[in-house]
């Protein structure tokens, strides 16, 4: 089993990375392989709805979104992390997740279907719950079970040293990791017992505008 953790911060080893590392460390202790994927600092192009991904399964703009899509299929679970910028997720990870999830959906990859996911948020002070809600919407739109902790998945601090002092936040990260492991084991046990995945229906899109 492998969990892919996405660092959506412009800082490779800042506060968000510190939170994700705490999750990864606990997952490793539970025997789960992990990989932290940093989206980087280079500009990302948001989705332009060109829909070329229907044919290629990839975003037309060859950036970190495509790099992630190349490895997402092999991951069993996902955790997306972002710092708070103006009470919301960073523009970079918003563009990134938009391209990743849209390209995967239209391209028919099904990299995320029924795979558990969670979001992790870091902030100096506020805006965490709004960002938490924002990222979780990608999962619920993609039929992904959302894994929770004993509180909202957030840490606080202006620098990594501050995050390491947020003992409650770090505990929330560890509980999140263990809850994800428990869900993973339940899903694996169900699979071994012959419990099938849910029936997948053809997508129906309703246009609410009528003549």
């Amino acid at each position: 089993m492998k969990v892919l953790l996405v660092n959506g911060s412009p800082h490779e080893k800042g506060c968000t990375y510190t939170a994700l590392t705490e999750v990864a460390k606990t997952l490793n202790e539970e025997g789960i392989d992990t990989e932290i994927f940093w989206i980087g600092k280079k500009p990302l192009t948001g989705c332009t709805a060109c829909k070329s991904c229907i044919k290629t399964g990839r975003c037309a703009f060859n950036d970190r979104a495509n790099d992630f899509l190349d490895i997402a299929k092999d991951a069993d679970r996902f955790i997306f992390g972002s710092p708070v910028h103006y009470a919301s997720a960073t523009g970079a990870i918003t563009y990134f997740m938009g391209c990743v999830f849209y390209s995967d959906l239209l391209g028919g990859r099904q990299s995320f279907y029924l795979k558990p996911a969670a979001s992790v948020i870091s902030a100096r002070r506020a805006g965490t719950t709004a960002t938490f809600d924002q990222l979780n919407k990608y999962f619920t739109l993609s039929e992904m079970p959302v894994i929770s902790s004993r509180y909202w998945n957030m840490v606080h601090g202006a620098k990594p040293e501050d995050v390491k002092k947020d003992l409650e936040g770090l505990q929330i990260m560890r509980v999140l990791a263990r809850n994800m492991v428990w869900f993973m084991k339940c899903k694996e046990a169900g699979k071994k017992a012959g419990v099938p995945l849910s029936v997948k229906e053809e997508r129906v899109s309703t246009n609410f505008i009528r003549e």
Side-chain angles (χ1 to χ4, degrees):
M1 296 183 186
K2 181 177 181 179
V3 176
L4 198 51
L5 302 96
V6 180
N7 179 7
S9 171
H11 303 291
E12 184 176 7
K13 295 190 176 179
C15 296
T16 303
Y17 171 83
T18 304
L20 292 173
T21 299
E22 189 73 11
V23 179
K25 182 176 72 173
T26 305
L27 289 169
N28 295 155
E29 291 171 354
E30 295 285 338
I32 306 299
D33 291 333
T34 59
E35 178 182 346
I36 296 180
F37 180 95
W38 182 43
I39 67 174
K41 288 184 178 181
K42 292 183 179 180
L44 298 170
T45 303
C47 178
T48 61
C50 69
K51 297 186 178 181
S52 64
C53 52
I54 294 176
K55 296 181 179 179
T56 66
R58 297 168 62 82
C59 181
F61 302 98
N62 194 26
D63 53 26
R64 290 294 277 167
N66 280 335
D67 293 339
F68 182 76
L69 283 169
D70 288 339
I71 62 175
K73 189 73 174 179
D74 296 327
D76 300 290
R77 315 292 180 264
F78 300 90
I79 297 177
F80 290 82
S82 176
V84 173
H85 288 184
Y86 287 90
S88 62
T90 67
I93 197 169
T94 300
Y95 292 153
F96 174 84
M97 293 180 74
C99 287
V100 162
F101 280 89
Y102 196 63
S103 296
D104 187 85
L105 173 66
L106 268 63
R109 286 173 173 253
Q110 295 193 47
S111 302
F112 307 107
Y113 177 59
L114 292 183
K115 293 182 180 180
S119 57
V120 165
I121 313 302
S122 68
R124 182 192 67 83
R125 186 171 178 86
T128 47
T129 52
T131 304
F132 186 60
D133 291 341
Q134 179 183 347
L135 296 191
N136 285 343
K137 288 183 173 68
Y138 289 92
F139 314 145
T140 57
L141 193 65
S142 304
E143 298 183 71
M144 304 174 75
V146 180
I147 306 300
S148 62
S149 186
R150 65 176 50 167
Y151 194 76
W152 297 305
N153 307 334
M154 59 183 69
V155 296
H156 289 84
K159 54 186 182 295
E161 292 76 15
D162 295 337
V163 173
K164 293 176 182 178
K165 297 175 184 176
D166 181 7
L167 299 184
E168 182 180 0
L170 293 178
Q171 184 183 63
I172 290 166
M173 298 300 107
R174 295 192 297 271
V175 172
L176 170 64
R178 295 190 186 102
N179 286 349
M180 178 165 279
V181 171
W182 180 84
F183 191 96
M184 292 167 73
K185 290 180 178 178
C186 287
K187 184 178 178 182
E188 196 66 23
K191 183 179 179 181
K192 289 180 180 178
V195 179
L197 295 179
S198 60
V199 176
K200 196 167 180 64
E201 295 187 18
E202 288 293 324
R203 181 178 292 271
V204 176
S205 298
T206 300
N207 185 352
F208 294 99
I209 305 302
R210 295 286 182 264
E211 296 295 336

